[in-house]
């Protein structure tokens, strides 16, 4: 169903699939310049994080639209349990995140992305990013809970998107901003992806990053689900 | 023997059943459900039996036999300082088409929302097909179908996809689901438009789709909250026929509507609520006789007229 929603709604299609593609093209073509020490390989981890944090907005819009249209109430009167509903939605959005990442990889590859890790690095990046996408789904659910309409949800989602965007993803981290960035899950994904693409797989940093991403993402999605179930459905 | 008598009794209306009870010199309370009266007459119950049943707590009655599709017991719903449903007591029989009428804000939709598990009651309870709304919601959701006031459909899906999505949620086998979908689309005149996305539907078409989705799971009990709002008279008549056909399948239907003539045409019994309280209950005919009215709308205006005057 979500796939049909993705394909049949132009705004969704743009936000979920075309937007990451456009971003990849724009950022690699404008930022990647080996002469200035900025290779395509350096830009790609940030692009992946950037694509996945926008899932916050997609999730928030999706849930708040369904609530506004009375669909959540209606689904609540069917034999489908809350666990089945939430579980299927979370998995679907994780799959969308993976699809976004594949698009970024494919386009980046065409534009010269050649990680030191080889293809194995790309395959390892997918599950780490999928785990991170859980935090975006969780933040999307929290946004949908506190927003009355899809329009408000779009605005509020930027409260969660912008800090992650500016602390490391969009603007490189400095020693000062690093202390703030360390509170955001995107910081650990960025670090993990950089290590993975470098082929530095025996680095304990990857495991630490993956551990932090997993714990934080599961905690955020759990908070999101509980808050949405309690206050967001009606 | 008693099953033959039962089948004969089942054909009689409530008034006739009470007349038979009177002839048999047994007193059956007026507010008891028709199914229960049939059962008692078929079993040749005595006045003492009836007294005993009356003394039994509600839970025991439900345990012993499922006489009513819905039993609402002292139901209260409070929203901060507003009492939307105020100590509501009501029994709705299996196979009955019951209309809940009342002015805007009388508590009709709140009552339906409680019965369908969307809202939790502040006090009291309701038993739906033998299950308590405060305890067994999961069981209740398997036997009910809800047609909400707003057309809650997935706009990016076509009618068939919407219906099949909800049919799958209800676990209807594929073949049976296809057959039911075809039948319902045909009956409500949506067959030709079934492959058009719901976002391109008119208001009336969305209402029809809304109704089909509520019934695709083959529910025992259907809650229809203003199902014909926004339909043109022809579409409304067609929907009435469809609703009548559900009654023929022995489904219990709880209907709320602002079209009083709709309630009069379709209902076995009508309950009028105001300020969350049940203020009148009976068959349309009985109510018209009682209030010396030409039609149910007159009855409604007589009973709830003060609300209209207050609003002026």
């Amino acid at each position: 169903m979500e796939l049909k929603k993705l394909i049949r709604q132009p705004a969704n299609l743009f936000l979920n699939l075309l937007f990451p593609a456009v971003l990849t093209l724009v950022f690699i073509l404008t930022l990647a310049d080996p002469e200035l020490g900025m290779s395509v390989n350096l830009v790609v981890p940030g692009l992946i994080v950037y694509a996945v944090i926008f899932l916050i907005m997609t999730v928030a819009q999706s849930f708040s639209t369904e609530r506004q249209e009375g669909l959540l109430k209606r689904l609540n009167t069917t034999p489908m349990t809350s666990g089945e509903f939430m579980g299927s939605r979370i998995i679907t959005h994780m799959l969308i995140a993976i699809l976004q990442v594949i698009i970024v990889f494919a386009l980046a590859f065409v534009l010269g992305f050649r990680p030191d890790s080889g293809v194995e690095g790309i395959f390892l990046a997918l599950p780490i990013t999928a785990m991170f996408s859980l935090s975006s789904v969780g933040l999307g659910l929290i946004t949908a809970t506190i927003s009355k309409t899809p329009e408000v949800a779009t605005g509020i989602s930027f409260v969660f998107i912008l800090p992650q965007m500016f602390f490391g993803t969009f603007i490189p981290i400095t020693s000062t901003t690093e202390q703030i960035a360390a509170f955001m899950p995107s910081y650990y994904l960025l670090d993990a992806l950089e290590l993975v693409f470098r082929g530095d797989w025996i680095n304990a940093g990857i495991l630490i990053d993956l551990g932090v991403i997993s714990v934080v993402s599961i905690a955020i999605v759990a908070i999101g689900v509980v808050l949405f179930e309690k206050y967001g459905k009606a | 023997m008693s099953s033959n008598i039962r089948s004969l009794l089942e054909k009689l209306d409530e008034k006739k059943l009470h007349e038979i009870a009177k002839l048999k010199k047994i007193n059956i309370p007026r507010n008891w459900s028709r199914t229960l009266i049939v059962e008692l007459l078929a079993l040749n119950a005595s006045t003492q039996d009836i007294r005993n049943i009356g003394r039994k707590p509600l839970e025991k009655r439900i345990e012993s036999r499922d006489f009513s599709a819905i039993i609402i017991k002292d139901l209260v719903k409070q929203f901060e300082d507003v009492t939307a449903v105020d100590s509501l007591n009501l029994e709705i029989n299996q196979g009955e088409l019951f209309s809940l009428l009342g002015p805007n804000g009388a508590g009709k939709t709140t009552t339906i929302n409680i019965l369908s598990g969307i809202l939790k009651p502040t006090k009291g309870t309701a038993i739906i097909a033998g299950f308590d709304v405060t305890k067994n919601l999961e069981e209740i959701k398997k036997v009910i179908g809800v047609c909400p006031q707003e057309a809650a459909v997935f706009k990016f899906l076509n009618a068939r996809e919407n219906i099949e999505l909800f049919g799958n949620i209800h676990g209807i086998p594929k073949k049976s689901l296809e057959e039911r979908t075809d039948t319902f689309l045909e009956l409500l005149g949506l067959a030709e438009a079934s492959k058009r996305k719901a976002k391109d539907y008119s208001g009336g078409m969305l209402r029809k789709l809304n109704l089909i989705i509520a019934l695709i799971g083959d529910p025992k009990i259907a809650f229809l909250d203003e199902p014909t709002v926004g339909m043109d008279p022809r579409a409304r008549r067609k929907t009435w026929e469809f609703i009548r056909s559900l009654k023929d399948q022995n489904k219990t239907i709880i209907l709320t509507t602002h079209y009083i003539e709709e309630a009069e045409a379709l209902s076995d019994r009508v309950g009028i609520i105001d300020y969350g309280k049940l203020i009148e209950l009976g068959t349309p005919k009985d109510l018209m006789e009682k209030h010396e009215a030409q039609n149910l709308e007159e009855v409604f205006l007589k009973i709830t007229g003060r609300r209209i005057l207050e609003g002026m």
Side-chain angles (χ1 to χ4, degrees), chain B residues 95-262:
Chain B
E96 185 174 21
L97 202 159
F98 185 89
S99 285
L100 204 52
L101 305 178
N104 289 331
K108 306 183 293 290
T109 299
T110 306
T111 305
I112 288 207
N113 283 346
I114 295 170
L115 300 181
S116 55
I118 294 170
L119 289 175
K120 282 184 182 160
T122 309
K123 273 187 212 161
T125 192
I127 311 296
I128 314 285
F131 301 107
D132 192 321
V133 289
T134 60
K135 294 173 194 156
N136 320 102
L137 263 184
E138 279 181 20
E139 294 303 321
I140 289 171
K141 286 175 183 179
K142 288 176 191 163
V143 295
I144 63 165
V146 182
C147 177
Q149 218 175 77
E150 68 273 30
V153 305
F154 288 98
K155 304 275 185 349
F156 58 91
L157 297 178
N158 65 38
R160 187 173 288 279
E161 288 168 339
N162 262 296
I163 298 164
E164 289 182 351
L165 172 74
F166 282 91
N168 284 328
I169 291 174
H170 282 276
I172 307 285
K174 199 181 171 203
K175 199 165 176 249
S176 160
L177 179 56
E178 278 173 11
E179 283 169 9
R180 282 178 70 78
T181 304
D182 287 339
T183 309
F184 284 179
L185 285 169
E186 197 63 49
L187 279 172
L188 280 170
L190 283 182
E192 276 184 31
S194 68
K195 297 217 168 145
R196 267 166 56 193
K197 280 182 211 153
K199 74 179 172 67
D200 300 325
Y201 274 20
S202 67
M205 290 163 91
L206 282 173
R207 288 274 157 197
K208 288 176 183 176
L209 179 57
N210 200 32
L211 181 60
I212 295 175
I213 291 172
L215 300 162
I216 194 64
D218 199 16
K220 277 187 186 170
I221 300 167
F223 297 102
L224 313 182
D225 197 357
E226 306 202 25
T228 61
V229 152
M231 284 186 190
D232 62 55
R234 200 164 145 253
R236 192 179 303 150
R237 296 279 162 175
K238 198 156 195 166
T239 308
W240 288 8
E241 279 170 33
F242 182 68
I243 293 172
R244 277 196 193 103
S245 73
L246 299 172
K247 202 179 131 43
D248 295 340
Q249 296 164 36
N250 200 34
K251 293 197 185 304
T252 307
I253 300 155
I254 293 84
L255 174 79
T256 74
T257 180
H258 275 117
Y259 301 114
I260 310 292
E261 80 277 14
E262 183 167 289

Side-chain angles (χ1 to χ4, degrees), chain A residues 61-81:
Chain A
Q61 282 178 342
S62 174
F63 278 90
S64 48
T65 302
E66 283 176 15
R67 182 181 52 215
Q68 193 180 45
E69 291 179 351
L71 281 158
L72 294 182
K73 250 188 209 173
R74 169 158 240 168
L75 287 168
N76 202 19
T77 64
T78 68
M80 183 162 63
T81 64

